[in-house]
Amino acid sequence: MLVAEIFQRARALGVAIPAFNIPYLPMLEAVVQAVVAQDSFALVEVARPEWIKFEAGGPAAVAAEFARWRSPDHVRLHLDHIPVIDEDGQRVDYLPIFQEALDLGYESVMVDGSRLPLEENIRATRQVVDLAHARNTPVEAELGAVLGHEAGEPPPYEVLFASGRGFTAVDEARRFVQETQCDWLSVAIGNIHGAIAVGRKDQKKVQARLNLEHLDRLAQATQIPLVLHGGSGIQQAYVLDAMRHGIVKINVGTEIRQPYEVAMKASGSVAQAQQAVYERTAWVLRDFLGIHGLRARLAAPASL
Ligand code: 13P
């Protein structure tokens, strides 16, 4: 089954598919084993910051590691955040990265033009859509400001949430989806990324909330699967509600990265760090999202 079809099924079931980030290659085996043990389904994903600021190596290294633990009924490979302008304000030569990932067999990709003005975001996203759709590959895009990856301290969370500053605008989202033909849209509705900057990446994440009325308006306006970035640390009740209101993919990074780093620091043992990732991933699937056994539900024709 193609990833696009899996997403359609998840949407019909009212569940979200988690996408686990891989900043350190040994995390990949642990994530896959946890997904298989829970008989669930997830994406494994790598974002550009994870090979620039961490130790993922690059799209080829992650694809090679993924091939070692291949289990297509349970996991697929996604290319996360390829920014047009990165978290440090630098322009990125993004098209060759997509070309490389598509050649490597990534089954879905994300272009992040969210730091650009609307027109330029539309243009850049459309370029990637043209490239990826020619290979039958779905494209995720981003509109609005999911803050947190930048080096500076973000504004106080409650101020952001109350003001709705940076939230994805409903009219822009409608137009953006029509003009870009993107398949999935990452939205800003109170979610925030875990910090990745040196000196801040070990901080405990704020327990974010979500504006579910705003999510409803975005789902209505766009009619495509919506994506929740910054999935770590959001209060559970909001995440479970969001799944019933249009969120079909939820990105989880900090939640499994920090246990890996803590265990590595304490023990120096990759095996112990992998065990920490395995346990946290299983917890996300079973206890937080409640999607153990999801593989069978996605496969069953009756679930459509
Ligand atoms: P967290 O690290 O906050 O879970 O965010 C991950 C993410 O959205 C990657 O794209």
Side-chain angles (χ1 to χ4, degrees):
M1 215 189 303
L2 291 173
V3 165
E5 192 181 347
I6 296 172
F7 269 64
Q8 275 171 18
R9 289 182 175 221
R11 194 180 182 193
L13 288 169
V15 295
I17 292 173
F20 292 102
N21 285 89
I22 306 293
Y24 302 95
L25 287 178
M27 289 175 64
L28 195 149
E29 177 190 358
V31 166
V32 173
Q33 286 186 354
V35 178
V36 171
Q38 295 298 320
D39 197 21
S40 193
F41 183 85
L43 301 181
V44 165
E45 65 181 12
V46 66
R48 181 177 177 273
E50 288 161 341
W51 68 78
I52 301 286
K53 295 188 185 326
F54 294 90
E55 298 170 17
V62 174
E65 186 66 9
F66 185 77
R68 290 181 66 201
W69 310 106
R70 228 181 141 263
S71 183
D73 287 346
H74 294 100
V75 283
R76 301 293 178 94
L77 187 58
H78 172 77
L79 185 70
D80 187 25
H81 286 284
I82 302 301
V84 177
I85 297 191
D86 75 9
E87 56 285 352
D88 301 319
Q90 302 299 313
R91 281 231 159 227
V92 175
D93 188 14
Y94 53 97
L95 283 179
I97 304 175
F98 288 102
Q99 195 67 61
E100 181 188 4
L102 293 168
D103 289 344
L104 287 164
Y106 279 73
E107 291 187 67
S108 49
V109 297
M110 184 209 186
V111 54
D112 176 3
S114 64
R115 292 189 184 91
L116 296 167
L118 178 64
E119 303 291 336
E120 285 179 55
N121 189 356
I122 290 175
R123 247 196 321 275
T125 300
R126 183 71 216 204
Q127 267 183 316
V128 177
V129 165
D130 287 344
L131 192 72
H133 282 187
R135 309 278 288 266
N136 214 9
T137 304
V139 175
E140 175 183 337
E142 182 163 301
L143 188 65
V146 183
L147 300 176
H149 275 173
E150 300 76 11
E153 194 73 42
Y157 180 74
E158 287 305 326
V159 173
L160 266 185
F161 190 78
S163 66
R165 204 174 105 202
F167 279 22
T168 308
V170 175
D171 287 346
E172 288 188 4
R174 185 183 292 110
R175 179 178 160 210
F176 184 87
V177 168
Q178 272 168 8
E179 294 189 16
T180 64
Q181 295 291 305
C182 68
D183 301 271
W184 313 329
L185 185 66
S186 159
V187 291
I189 52 170
N191 46 322
I192 180 164
H193 283 120
I196 55 171
V198 178
R200 293 185 50 240
K201 72 181 178 55
D202 301 333
Q203 283 174 4
K204 185 173 161 33
K205 252 193 94 173
V206 59
Q207 292 188 302
R209 293 182 284 138
L210 302 173
N211 185 327
L212 295 165
E213 291 79 41
H214 196 71
L215 173 62
D216 266 336
R217 289 191 283 272
L218 290 168
Q220 268 295 328
T222 60
Q223 300 286 323
I224 63 170
L226 301 180
V227 182
L228 189 62
H229 280 242
S232 303
I234 301 175
Q235 296 176 32
Q236 186 186 27
Y238 286 97
V239 173
L240 296 180
D241 262 347
M243 286 190 187
R244 292 185 279 271
H245 291 259
I247 293 294
V248 185
K249 173 173 180 275
I250 171 166
N251 284 13
V252 179
T254 309
E255 192 77 64
I256 58 170
R257 171 179 59 78
Q258 288 182 342
Y260 182 91
E261 291 171 337
V262 168
M264 261 321 267
K265 204 167 167 193
S267 69
S269 154
V270 171
Q272 285 194 32
Q274 285 179 308
Q275 184 60 29
V277 172
Y278 175 91
E279 281 164 19
R280 204 59 186 163
T281 306
W283 174 86
V284 169
L285 296 166
R286 184 189 53 224
D287 304 318
F288 189 74
L289 298 176
I291 56 162
H292 42 289
L294 179 61
R295 182 206 51 80
R297 294 174 67 204
L298 289 172
S303 65
L304 270 179

